Amino acid sequence: MSRVTSIEELNTLKDSINKGRKYSKQVLICGGTGCISSGSNDIAAKMEERVKALGKEDEIRVIKTGCFGFCEKGPIVKMLPDNTFYTEVTPEDVDKLVDKHLIGDEKVEELLYVDPVSKKRISDSDHMDFYKKQERVALRNCGLVDPEDIDDYFLHDGYTALHKVTGMEQQAVIDIIKNSGLRGRGGAGFSTGMKWQFALNNKADQKYVVCNADEGDPGAFMDRSILEGDPHSIIEAMAICGYAIGATKGLVYIRAEYPLAIKRLKIALEEAKESGVLGTNIFNSGFEFDIEIKYGAGAFVCGEETALIHSMEGHRGEPTTKPPFPAEHGYNGCPTNVNNVETLANIPVIINKGADWFKSFGTEKSSGTKVFALAGKINNVGLIEVPMGTTLREVIYEIGGGIKDGKKFKSVQTGGPSGGCLTEKHLDVAIDFDSLMEQGSMMGSGGMIVMDEDDCMVAVSKFYLEFTVEESCGKCTPCRIGNQRLLEILEKITKGNGTEDDLRKLKELSNVIKDTSLCGLGQTAPNPILSTLNNFWDEYEAHVKDHKCPSGQCTALLKYVINDKCIGCTACARVCPVSCIEGKVKEKHVIEQDKCIKCGACYDKCKFSAIDRI
């Protein structure tokens, strides 16, 4: 691989790559973690084998890409140039895809996406509701390029932004980022340009650029997918940041449980060094920059930048009081700039297309787009990217396809454990940093979990609090002890032993913890409780006053009773794991309540609606 030292050489390289590729057709196969777990590696291997057996490897290129986003319908195979989009493909489907589509130029109808409303088959992803309202900026190359081939990245304007900035003044680069309005996508939403400015202003012999890839929210997989699908965009962005602030060293802090992202990042780093876009004298500018990987053990608190830095230094992952901020005193005591993966993914395209282009998306105070991991009781689970200002209703009902099994929407949790639960009255709220905060939630890093009528909001609060209690570093008393007390109260309520005074304590203690905790983990841990107290007070009252769980999720408050519809078929007794159902054949049965473990097996098995869940 030859070293690229100028824009002319970069353009010559791109021309050479294009001339060397005489493919008339390309097969893009999703190689993200989700589709791999469903067999996409086997699909790719079999596809390559068939194409080679036909002697058409010079005409048909098979590419394992990053995530397409439509995880609900994976594994996904996309055909170019006709843009045919096949869903839920299996290795057994490869032969007909080759014989019918690649050789016969005929679509395989049974593998096309079926619109759930019109029931029509759609062959082009551009016409699917899931994609119609999306704008892929941070995800622009995911599902399009081979993440293990730098040539693919070069062909999509790769490293042209880095070349551009090496001929600019540092302040001019930072001014572009400032003017774009880009705010941190890791949760806090602080101005990225201002962060860079602080790091530039602090003079030192050594500075660092840190990529925060420690994605810890339950149900979140935005950063992982970008690193798996487009690692070179992060390398390029880190180098641009390094040039702008005067840093020569970059560090990617990534949890060790992301093996595929790590593998592809390592490959990309080696390719970048061999090509000369990483290392010494980049583009003959005299600029020097290198990147190494630091591994985390998966601690949620290490998403906080000072805790992350301590972990990289080999210390306990505990936050410290700010100031001093990392831009002044960070890694090894040097000025350090920390941005998360998604924030960095936006940098090269902002440099190439300009601040005004980026601001053409989003709102006045929240420009650009945001990536969300859409999960939960939603028909179209997946990774989406929408302009800031898109409403929750558009995301849930248009992109997400509505609630599974025709159930009623109940709530959506934005911002992961640090966010809040919003209700039907919030569906027309714009998704941006300030609007979500005003409603008692937050953007967070991009987790979005949808809940339906069967979910108990008290139990949901308990679930998130269990997570934050487990993940607390224990350094400050409000978080270490206060959240434990909150969890104990919630456990008491969900077991039917709560009192009205417990509800008062919940709110009072939540506000104290929010105001006095050291870092963002503790300060935002009570958010799920406070938002559900505000929006679902009646559910808390039902648990405390009536000792009932309206959604039937808190097993301690459940009771299964056989009614007069029972015909004595014995089906319930046969599935009961603890043999607590008695009765003769063709006679009404009875459940021994002191033995019942409330598993619901009898309720699910009964075909005659003869069991009431009360």
Side-chain angles (χ1 to χ4, degrees), residues 173-227:
V173 178
I174 291 176
D175 286 343
I176 293 174
I177 305 304
K178 276 186 186 175
N179 293 336
S180 74
L182 176 65
R183 295 170 66 172
R185 289 344 192 208
F190 188 76
S191 166
T192 303
M194 288 302 297
K195 250 192 176 186
W196 289 22
Q197 186 73 64
F198 295 149
L200 173 64
N201 292 346
N202 283 294
K203 306 303 178 185
D205 293 334
Q206 180 67 60
K207 296 182 183 181
Y208 293 93
V209 174
V210 173
C211 170
N212 179 358
D214 188 64
E215 186 174 46
D217 288 16
F221 49 98
M222 298 79 59
D223 293 348
R224 185 196 74 201
S225 293
I226 292 172
L227 284 171

CSV table of all heavy atoms in Angstrom, one decimal, residues 173-227:
chain,number,residue,atom,x,y,z
A,173,VAL,N,-10.1,25.9,11.8
A,173,VAL,CA,-10.8,24.5,11.9
A,173,VAL,C,-11.8,24.5,13.0
A,173,VAL,O,-12.9,24.1,12.9
A,173,VAL,CB,-9.7,23.4,12.1
A,173,VAL,CG1,-10.4,22.1,12.3
A,173,VAL,CG2,-8.7,23.4,11.0
A,174,ILE,N,-11.4,25.1,14.2
A,174,ILE,CA,-12.3,25.1,15.4
A,174,ILE,C,-13.5,26.0,15.1
A,174,ILE,O,-14.6,25.6,15.5
A,174,ILE,CB,-11.5,25.5,16.6
A,174,ILE,CG1,-10.5,24.4,17.0
A,174,ILE,CG2,-12.5,25.8,17.8
A,174,ILE,CD1,-9.6,24.8,18.2
A,175,ASP,N,-13.3,27.0,14.4
A,175,ASP,CA,-14.4,27.9,14.1
A,175,ASP,C,-15.4,27.2,13.2
A,175,ASP,O,-16.7,27.5,13.4
A,175,ASP,CB,-13.9,29.2,13.3
A,175,ASP,CG,-13.1,30.2,14.2
A,175,ASP,OD1,-13.3,30.0,15.5
A,175,ASP,OD2,-12.4,31.0,13.7
A,176,ILE,N,-15.0,26.4,12.3
A,176,ILE,CA,-16.0,25.6,11.5
A,176,ILE,C,-16.9,24.7,12.4
A,176,ILE,O,-18.1,24.7,12.3
A,176,ILE,CB,-15.3,24.7,10.4
A,176,ILE,CG1,-14.6,25.6,9.4
A,176,ILE,CG2,-16.3,23.8,9.8
A,176,ILE,CD1,-13.8,24.8,8.4
A,177,ILE,N,-16.2,24.0,13.4
A,177,ILE,CA,-16.9,23.2,14.3
A,177,ILE,C,-17.9,24.0,15.2
A,177,ILE,O,-19.0,23.6,15.4
A,177,ILE,CB,-16.0,22.3,15.1
A,177,ILE,CG1,-15.0,21.5,14.2
A,177,ILE,CG2,-16.7,21.3,16.0
A,177,ILE,CD1,-15.7,20.6,13.2
A,178,LYS,N,-17.4,25.1,15.7
A,178,LYS,CA,-18.2,26.0,16.5
A,178,LYS,C,-19.4,26.5,15.7
A,178,LYS,O,-20.6,26.4,16.2
A,178,LYS,CB,-17.4,27.2,16.9
A,178,LYS,CG,-16.5,27.1,18.1
A,178,LYS,CD,-16.0,28.5,18.4
A,178,LYS,CE,-15.0,28.4,19.6
A,178,LYS,NZ,-14.4,29.8,19.7
A,179,ASN,N,-19.2,27.0,14.5
A,179,ASN,CA,-20.3,27.5,13.7
A,179,ASN,C,-21.3,26.4,13.3
A,179,ASN,O,-22.5,26.8,13.0
A,179,ASN,CB,-19.7,28.2,12.4
A,179,ASN,CG,-18.9,29.4,12.8
A,179,ASN,OD1,-19.1,30.0,13.8
A,179,ASN,ND2,-18.0,29.8,11.9
A,180,SER,N,-20.9,25.2,13.2
A,180,SER,CA,-21.8,24.1,12.8
A,180,SER,C,-22.9,23.9,13.9
A,180,SER,O,-23.9,23.3,13.6
A,180,SER,CB,-21.0,22.8,12.6
A,180,SER,OG,-20.6,22.2,13.8
A,181,GLY,N,-22.6,24.3,15.1
A,181,GLY,CA,-23.5,24.0,16.2
A,181,GLY,C,-23.5,22.6,16.8
A,181,GLY,O,-24.3,22.2,17.5
A,182,LEU,N,-22.5,21.8,16.3
A,182,LEU,CA,-22.4,20.4,16.8
A,182,LEU,C,-22.2,20.4,18.3
A,182,LEU,O,-21.4,21.0,18.9
A,182,LEU,CB,-21.2,19.7,16.1
A,182,LEU,CG,-20.9,18.3,16.6
A,182,LEU,CD1,-22.1,17.4,16.2
A,182,LEU,CD2,-19.6,17.8,16.0
A,183,ARG,N,-23.1,19.6,18.9
A,183,ARG,CA,-23.1,19.4,20.4
A,183,ARG,C,-22.8,18.0,20.7
A,183,ARG,O,-23.1,17.1,19.9
A,183,ARG,CB,-24.4,19.8,21.0
A,183,ARG,CG,-24.7,21.3,20.9
A,183,ARG,CD,-26.1,21.7,21.3
A,183,ARG,NE,-26.4,21.5,22.7
A,183,ARG,CZ,-27.5,21.9,23.4
A,183,ARG,NH1,-28.5,22.5,22.7
A,183,ARG,NH2,-27.7,21.6,24.6
A,184,GLY,N,-22.1,17.7,21.8
A,184,GLY,CA,-21.7,16.3,22.1
A,184,GLY,C,-22.8,15.3,22.1
A,184,GLY,O,-23.9,15.5,22.8
A,185,ARG,N,-22.6,14.3,21.4
A,185,ARG,CA,-23.7,13.2,21.3
A,185,ARG,C,-23.6,12.2,22.4
A,185,ARG,O,-24.3,11.2,22.4
A,185,ARG,CB,-23.6,12.5,19.9
A,185,ARG,CG,-24.0,13.3,18.7
A,185,ARG,CD,-24.8,14.5,18.8
A,185,ARG,NE,-25.3,14.9,17.5
A,185,ARG,CZ,-25.6,16.2,17.2
A,185,ARG,NH1,-25.4,17.1,18.1
A,185,ARG,NH2,-26.1,16.5,16.1
A,186,GLY,N,-22.7,12.4,23.4
A,186,GLY,CA,-22.6,11.4,24.4
A,186,GLY,C,-23.6,11.6,25.6
A,186,GLY,O,-23.6,10.7,26.5
A,187,GLY,N,-24.3,12.6,25.5
A,187,GLY,CA,-25.3,12.8,26.6
A,187,GLY,C,-25.5,14.2,27.1
A,187,GLY,O,-26.5,14.8,27.3
A,188,ALA,N,-24.3,14.9,27.4
A,188,ALA,CA,-24.4,16.2,28.0
A,188,ALA,C,-24.8,17.3,27.0
A,188,ALA,O,-25.3,18.3,27.4
A,188,ALA,CB,-23.0,16.6,28.6
A,189,GLY,N,-24.4,17.1,25.7
A,189,GLY,CA,-24.8,18.1,24.7
A,189,GLY,C,-24.0,19.4,24.7
A,189,GLY,O,-24.5,20.4,24.3
A,190,PHE,N,-22.8,19.3,25.2
A,190,PHE,CA,-22.0,20.5,25.3
A,190,PHE,C,-21.4,20.8,23.9
A,190,PHE,O,-21.1,19.9,23.1
A,190,PHE,CB,-20.8,20.4,26.3
A,190,PHE,CG,-20.0,21.6,26.6
A,190,PHE,CD1,-20.5,22.6,27.4
A,190,PHE,CD2,-18.8,21.8,26.0
A,190,PHE,CE1,-19.8,23.8,27.6
A,190,PHE,CE2,-18.0,22.9,26.3
A,190,PHE,CZ,-18.6,23.9,27.1
A,191,SER,N,-21.2,22.1,23.6
A,191,SER,CA,-20.6,22.5,22.3
A,191,SER,C,-19.3,21.9,22.0
A,191,SER,O,-18.3,22.0,22.8
A,191,SER,CB,-20.5,24.0,22.3
A,191,SER,OG,-19.7,24.4,21.2
A,192,THR,N,-19.2,21.1,20.9
A,192,THR,CA,-18.0,20.4,20.6
A,192,THR,C,-16.9,21.5,20.2
A,192,THR,O,-15.7,21.3,20.6
A,192,THR,CB,-18.2,19.5,19.4
A,192,THR,OG1,-19.3,18.6,19.7
A,192,THR,CG2,-17.0,18.7,19.0
A,193,GLY,N,-17.3,22.5,19.5
A,193,GLY,CA,-16.3,23.5,19.2
A,193,GLY,C,-15.7,24.2,20.4
A,193,GLY,O,-14.5,24.5,20.4
A,194,MET,N,-16.5,24.5,21.4
A,194,MET,CA,-16.0,25.1,22.6
A,194,MET,C,-15.1,24.2,23.3
A,194,MET,O,-14.1,24.7,23.9
A,194,MET,CB,-17.2,25.5,23.5
A,194,MET,CG,-18.0,26.7,23.0
A,194,MET,SD,-17.0,28.2,22.8
A,194,MET,CE,-16.4,28.5,24.5
A,195,LYS,N,-15.4,22.9,23.3
A,195,LYS,CA,-14.5,21.9,24.0
A,195,LYS,C,-13.1,22.0,23.3
A,195,LYS,O,-12.0,22.0,24.0
A,195,LYS,CB,-15.0,20.5,23.8
A,195,LYS,CG,-15.5,19.9,25.1
A,195,LYS,CD,-15.8,18.4,24.9
A,195,LYS,CE,-16.2,17.8,26.3
A,195,LYS,NZ,-16.3,16.4,26.2
A,196,TRP,N,-13.1,22.0,22.0
A,196,TRP,CA,-11.9,22.0,21.2
A,196,TRP,C,-11.1,23.4,21.5
A,196,TRP,O,-9.9,23.4,21.6
A,196,TRP,CB,-12.1,21.9,19.7
A,196,TRP,CG,-12.5,20.5,19.3
A,196,TRP,CD1,-13.1,19.6,20.1
A,196,TRP,CD2,-12.5,20.0,18.0
A,196,TRP,NE1,-13.4,18.4,19.3
A,196,TRP,CE2,-13.0,18.7,18.0
A,196,TRP,CE3,-12.0,20.5,16.8
A,196,TRP,CZ2,-13.1,17.9,16.9
A,196,TRP,CZ3,-12.1,19.7,15.6
A,196,TRP,CH2,-12.6,18.4,15.7
A,197,GLN,N,-11.9,24.4,21.6
A,197,GLN,CA,-11.3,25.7,21.9
A,197,GLN,C,-10.5,25.8,23.2
A,197,GLN,O,-9.4,26.3,23.3
A,197,GLN,CB,-12.4,26.8,21.9
A,197,GLN,CG,-11.8,28.3,22.0
A,197,GLN,CD,-11.1,28.7,20.7
A,197,GLN,OE1,-11.8,28.8,19.7
A,197,GLN,NE2,-9.8,29.0,20.8
A,198,PHE,N,-11.2,25.2,24.3
A,198,PHE,CA,-10.5,25.1,25.6
A,198,PHE,C,-9.2,24.4,25.5
A,198,PHE,O,-8.2,24.7,26.1
A,198,PHE,CB,-11.5,24.5,26.6
A,198,PHE,CG,-12.7,25.3,26.9
A,198,PHE,CD1,-13.9,24.6,27.2
A,198,PHE,CD2,-12.7,26.7,26.8
A,198,PHE,CE1,-15.0,25.4,27.5
A,198,PHE,CE2,-13.9,27.4,27.1
A,198,PHE,CZ,-15.0,26.7,27.4
A,199,ALA,N,-9.3,23.2,24.8
A,199,ALA,CA,-8.1,22.4,24.7
A,199,ALA,C,-6.9,23.1,23.9
A,199,ALA,O,-5.8,23.0,24.2
A,199,ALA,CB,-8.4,21.1,24.0
A,200,LEU,N,-7.3,23.9,22.9
A,200,LEU,CA,-6.3,24.7,22.1
A,200,LEU,C,-5.7,25.7,23.0
A,200,LEU,O,-4.5,26.0,22.9
A,200,LEU,CB,-7.0,25.3,20.9
A,200,LEU,CG,-6.1,26.3,20.1
A,200,LEU,CD1,-4.9,25.5,19.5
A,200,LEU,CD2,-6.9,27.0,19.0
A,201,ASN,N,-6.5,26.4,23.8
A,201,ASN,CA,-6.1,27.6,24.6
A,201,ASN,C,-5.1,27.2,25.7
A,201,ASN,O,-4.3,28.0,26.1
A,201,ASN,CB,-7.3,28.3,25.2
A,201,ASN,CG,-8.1,29.0,24.1
A,201,ASN,OD1,-7.7,29.2,23.0
A,201,ASN,ND2,-9.3,29.4,24.5
A,202,ASN,N,-5.2,25.9,26.1
A,202,ASN,CA,-4.3,25.4,27.2
A,202,ASN,C,-3.0,24.9,26.6
A,202,ASN,O,-3.0,23.9,25.9
A,202,ASN,CB,-5.0,24.3,28.0
A,202,ASN,CG,-6.1,24.8,29.0
A,202,ASN,OD1,-5.7,25.6,29.9
A,202,ASN,ND2,-7.3,24.5,28.7
A,203,LYS,N,-2.0,25.7,26.8
A,203,LYS,CA,-0.7,25.4,26.2
A,203,LYS,C,0.0,24.3,27.0
A,203,LYS,O,0.0,24.2,28.2
A,203,LYS,CB,0.2,26.6,26.2
A,203,LYS,CG,-0.5,27.8,25.5
A,203,LYS,CD,-0.9,27.5,24.1
A,203,LYS,CE,-1.6,28.7,23.4
A,203,LYS,NZ,-2.1,28.4,22.1
A,204,ALA,N,0.6,23.3,26.3
A,204,ALA,CA,1.3,22.2,26.9
A,204,ALA,C,2.2,21.6,25.8
A,204,ALA,O,1.9,21.6,24.6
A,204,ALA,CB,0.4,21.2,27.5
A,205,ASP,N,3.3,20.9,26.3
A,205,ASP,CA,4.1,20.1,25.4
A,205,ASP,C,3.4,18.9,24.8
A,205,ASP,O,3.7,18.5,23.7
A,205,ASP,CB,5.4,19.7,26.1
A,205,ASP,CG,6.3,20.9,26.5
A,205,ASP,OD1,6.2,22.0,25.8
A,205,ASP,OD2,7.0,20.8,27.4
A,206,GLN,N,2.5,18.4,25.6
A,206,GLN,CA,1.8,17.2,25.1
A,206,GLN,C,0.3,17.3,25.4
A,206,GLN,O,-0.1,17.8,26.5
A,206,GLN,CB,2.3,15.9,25.9
A,206,GLN,CG,1.6,14.6,25.5
A,206,GLN,CD,1.9,14.2,24.1
A,206,GLN,OE1,3.1,14.0,23.7
A,206,GLN,NE2,0.9,14.1,23.2
A,207,LYS,N,-0.5,17.0,24.4
A,207,LYS,CA,-2.0,17.0,24.5
A,207,LYS,C,-2.5,15.7,24.0
A,207,LYS,O,-1.8,15.0,23.2
A,207,LYS,CB,-2.6,18.2,23.8
A,207,LYS,CG,-2.2,19.6,24.3
A,207,LYS,CD,-2.9,20.7,23.5
A,207,LYS,CE,-2.5,22.1,23.9
A,207,LYS,NZ,-3.2,23.1,23.2
A,208,TYR,N,-3.7,15.4,24.3
A,208,TYR,CA,-4.3,14.1,23.9
A,208,TYR,C,-5.7,14.3,23.4
A,208,TYR,O,-6.5,15.2,23.8
A,208,TYR,CB,-4.4,13.1,25.1
A,208,TYR,CG,-3.1,12.7,25.6
A,208,TYR,CD1,-2.4,13.3,26.7
A,208,TYR,CD2,-2.4,11.6,25.0
A,208,TYR,CE1,-1.2,12.9,27.1
A,208,TYR,CE2,-1.2,11.1,25.5
A,208,TYR,CZ,-0.6,11.8,26.5
A,208,TYR,OH,0.6,11.4,27.0
A,209,VAL,N,-6.1,13.5,22.4
A,209,VAL,CA,-7.4,13.4,21.9
A,209,VAL,C,-8.0,12.0,22.3
A,209,VAL,O,-7.3,11.0,22.0
A,209,VAL,CB,-7.5,13.5,20.4
A,209,VAL,CG1,-8.9,13.2,19.9
A,209,VAL,CG2,-7.0,14.9,19.9
A,210,VAL,N,-9.1,12.0,23.0
A,210,VAL,CA,-9.7,10.7,23.5
A,210,VAL,C,-11.0,10.5,22.8
A,210,VAL,O,-11.9,11.4,22.8
A,210,VAL,CB,-9.8,10.7,25.0
A,210,VAL,CG1,-10.6,9.4,25.4
A,210,VAL,CG2,-8.5,10.7,25.7
A,211,CYS,N,-11.2,9.3,22.2
A,211,CYS,CA,-12.5,8.9,21.7
A,211,CYS,C,-13.2,8.0,22.8
A,211,CYS,O,-12.6,6.9,23.2
A,211,CYS,CB,-12.4,8.1,20.4
A,211,CYS,SG,-13.9,7.3,19.9
A,212,ASN,N,-14.3,8.4,23.3
A,212,ASN,CA,-15.1,7.7,24.3
A,212,ASN,C,-16.0,6.7,23.6
A,212,ASN,O,-17.0,7.0,23.0
A,212,ASN,CB,-15.9,8.7,25.1
A,212,ASN,CG,-16.7,7.9,26.2
A,212,ASN,OD1,-16.7,6.7,26.3
A,212,ASN,ND2,-17.4,8.7,27.0
A,213,ALA,N,-15.5,5.4,23.6
A,213,ALA,CA,-16.4,4.4,23.0
A,213,ALA,C,-16.9,3.4,24.0
A,213,ALA,O,-17.2,2.2,23.8
A,213,ALA,CB,-15.5,3.6,21.9
A,214,ASP,N,-17.0,3.9,25.2
A,214,ASP,CA,-17.5,3.1,26.4
A,214,ASP,C,-19.0,3.3,26.4
A,214,ASP,O,-19.5,4.0,27.3
A,214,ASP,CB,-16.9,3.6,27.7
A,214,ASP,CG,-17.2,2.6,28.8
A,214,ASP,OD1,-16.8,1.5,28.8
A,214,ASP,OD2,-17.9,3.1,29.8
A,215,GLU,N,-19.7,2.6,25.6
A,215,GLU,CA,-21.2,2.7,25.4
A,215,GLU,C,-21.8,1.8,26.4
A,215,GLU,O,-21.8,0.6,26.3
A,215,GLU,CB,-21.5,2.4,24.0
A,215,GLU,CG,-23.0,2.6,23.6
A,215,GLU,CD,-23.1,2.3,22.1
A,215,GLU,OE1,-22.6,1.3,21.6
A,215,GLU,OE2,-23.8,3.1,21.5
A,216,GLY,N,-22.5,2.3,27.5
A,216,GLY,CA,-22.9,1.5,28.5
A,216,GLY,C,-24.4,1.4,28.8
A,216,GLY,O,-24.9,0.7,29.6
A,217,ASP,N,-25.2,2.3,28.1
A,217,ASP,CA,-26.7,2.3,28.3
A,217,ASP,C,-27.3,1.0,27.9
A,217,ASP,O,-27.0,0.4,26.8
A,217,ASP,CB,-27.3,3.4,27.5
A,217,ASP,CG,-27.0,4.8,28.0
A,217,ASP,OD1,-26.1,4.9,28.8
A,217,ASP,OD2,-27.7,5.7,27.6
A,218,PRO,N,-28.2,0.4,28.7
A,218,PRO,CA,-28.9,-0.8,28.3
A,218,PRO,C,-29.7,-0.5,27.0
A,218,PRO,O,-30.4,0.5,26.9
A,218,PRO,CB,-29.9,-1.0,29.5
A,218,PRO,CG,-29.3,-0.3,30.6
A,218,PRO,CD,-28.6,0.9,30.1
A,219,GLY,N,-29.5,-1.4,26.1
A,219,GLY,CA,-30.3,-1.3,24.8
A,219,GLY,C,-29.6,-0.3,23.8
A,219,GLY,O,-30.2,-0.1,22.7
A,220,ALA,N,-28.5,0.2,24.1
A,220,ALA,CA,-27.8,1.2,23.2
A,220,ALA,C,-26.7,0.5,22.4
A,220,ALA,O,-25.9,-0.3,22.9
A,220,ALA,CB,-27.2,2.3,24.0
A,221,PHE,N,-26.7,0.8,21.1
A,221,PHE,CA,-25.6,0.2,20.2
A,221,PHE,C,-25.2,1.1,19.1
A,221,PHE,O,-24.9,0.7,18.0
A,221,PHE,CB,-26.1,-1.2,19.7
A,221,PHE,CG,-27.4,-1.2,19.1
A,221,PHE,CD1,-27.6,-1.1,17.7
A,221,PHE,CD2,-28.6,-1.3,19.9
A,221,PHE,CE1,-28.8,-1.2,17.1
A,221,PHE,CE2,-29.8,-1.4,19.3
A,221,PHE,CZ,-30.0,-1.3,17.9
A,222,MET,N,-25.3,2.4,19.3
A,222,MET,CA,-25.0,3.4,18.3
A,222,MET,C,-23.5,3.4,18.0
A,222,MET,O,-23.0,3.3,16.9
A,222,MET,CB,-25.4,4.8,18.7
A,222,MET,CG,-26.9,5.0,19.0
A,222,MET,SD,-27.4,4.3,20.6
A,222,MET,CE,-26.5,5.3,21.7
A,223,ASP,N,-22.7,3.7,19.1
A,223,ASP,CA,-21.2,3.8,18.9
A,223,ASP,C,-20.6,2.5,18.3
A,223,ASP,O,-19.7,2.5,17.5
A,223,ASP,CB,-20.6,4.2,20.2
A,223,ASP,CG,-21.0,5.6,20.6
A,223,ASP,OD1,-21.6,6.3,19.8
A,223,ASP,OD2,-20.7,6.0,21.8
A,224,ARG,N,-21.1,1.4,18.9
A,224,ARG,CA,-20.6,0.1,18.4
A,224,ARG,C,-20.8,-0.1,16.9
A,224,ARG,O,-19.9,-0.5,16.2
A,224,ARG,CB,-21.3,-1.0,19.2
A,224,ARG,CG,-20.7,-2.4,18.8
A,224,ARG,CD,-21.7,-3.5,19.3
A,224,ARG,NE,-22.8,-3.6,18.4
A,224,ARG,CZ,-24.0,-4.1,18.7
A,224,ARG,NH1,-24.2,-4.6,19.9
A,224,ARG,NH2,-25.0,-4.1,17.8
A,225,SER,N,-22.0,0.3,16.4
A,225,SER,CA,-22.3,0.1,15.0
A,225,SER,C,-21.4,1.0,14.1
A,225,SER,O,-21.0,0.6,13.0
A,225,SER,CB,-23.8,0.4,14.8
A,225,SER,OG,-24.6,-0.6,15.4
A,226,ILE,N,-21.1,2.2,14.6
A,226,ILE,CA,-20.3,3.1,13.8
A,226,ILE,C,-18.9,2.6,13.7
A,226,ILE,O,-18.3,2.6,12.6
A,226,ILE,CB,-20.3,4.6,14.4
A,226,ILE,CG1,-21.7,5.2,14.2
A,226,ILE,CG2,-19.2,5.4,13.7
A,226,ILE,CD1,-21.9,6.5,14.9
A,227,LEU,N,-18.3,2.1,14.8
A,227,LEU,CA,-17.0,1.6,14.8
A,227,LEU,C,-16.9,0.3,14.0
A,227,LEU,O,-15.9,0.0,13.3
A,227,LEU,CB,-16.5,1.3,16.2
A,227,LEU,CG,-16.1,2.5,17.0
A,227,LEU,CD1,-15.9,2.2,18.5
A,227,LEU,CD2,-14.8,3.1,16.5
